[in-house]
Amino acid sequence: MATNQTQVASKIMEGEQTLARIDASVKALEAIIGKKYVEKHLDDEAIEADYKEEFARITELLAQKEETEVKILAFKGKRKCDSCKSVIELNSMFCNRCGTKLEQLDFERIIGGQICSRCGAIVGTDVKFCTNCGNQIIK
């Protein structure tokens, strides 16, 4: 009798594991479908009313993501080309990949200060000398 109960318990556990795998697969497919739907309709002005709030939030989050990526690159002394999106040196006037003339970015606003040209430290917007190495900050 104990063997029968063990077999039943084992079958129940197998069934529950199968259900968990199926649920995980369905959730993964729903995420894929959702991502494809969002990508297809993100710029669609006629999106169904049921999704307007979510699409507005996604647009807001994507803007925050882009701003954060710009900050991270700036802290690394890099930026993205406006045209081809290649990662290039922060002080580039032209992209070394596609040759596009680059817009000047307001890095003081982006990083909340200035970057010392000697040591790379972030210093305030109104300082004249780097507090890390003493280098004169030239605007």
Side-chain angles (χ1 to χ4, degrees):
M1 179 138 166
T3 306
N4 192 27
Q5 287 178 339
T6 304
Q7 289 174 339
V8 169
S10 175
K11 293 294 183 185
I12 290 171
M13 189 166 40
E14 285 176 27
E16 289 173 346
Q17 289 172 346
T18 299
L19 286 176
R21 282 193 303 273
I22 291 169
D23 283 343
S25 295
V26 168
K27 284 183 182 184
L29 289 168
E30 288 171 342
I32 290 168
I33 290 167
K35 183 175 182 185
K36 287 180 180 180
Y37 185 86
V38 168
E39 289 171 350
K40 183 176 181 181
H41 298 289
L42 191 58
D43 296 325
D44 190 354
E45 293 293 324
I47 189 72
E48 296 105 41
D50 292 348
Y51 302 112
K52 283 214 183 273
E53 189 175 309
E54 288 81 1
F55 271 77
R57 182 69 178 136
I58 288 171
T59 301
E60 181 181 304
L61 289 169
L62 291 174
Q64 289 176 5
K65 178 182 176 185
E66 185 175 338
E67 186 175 318
T68 302
E69 289 171 341
V70 168
K71 285 181 183 180
I72 290 169
L73 285 173
F75 286 129
K76 293 179 177 181
K78 305 285 184 185
R79 70 178 284 181
K80 282 189 179 178
C81 170
D82 302 329
S83 180
C84 73
K85 306 301 181 205
S86 293
V87 176
I88 55 178
E89 294 300 314
L90 185 64
N91 58 358
S92 297
M93 293 180 68
F94 293 88
C95 177
N96 63 350
R97 296 275 171 119
C98 70
T100 298
K101 182 171 175 43
L102 301 171
E103 295 286 326
Q104 291 299 317
L105 298 178
D106 183 0
F107 289 105
E108 287 185 33
R109 182 194 61 76
I110 292 170
I111 64 171
Q114 303 173 80
I115 298 176
C116 174
S117 60
R118 181 187 293 161
C119 72
I122 299 167
V123 296
T125 56
D126 295 328
V127 300
K128 295 183 180 185
F129 294 91
C130 177
T131 54
N132 188 52
C133 71
N135 183 46
Q136 184 175 2
I137 305 296
I138 301 172
K139 289 188 177 191

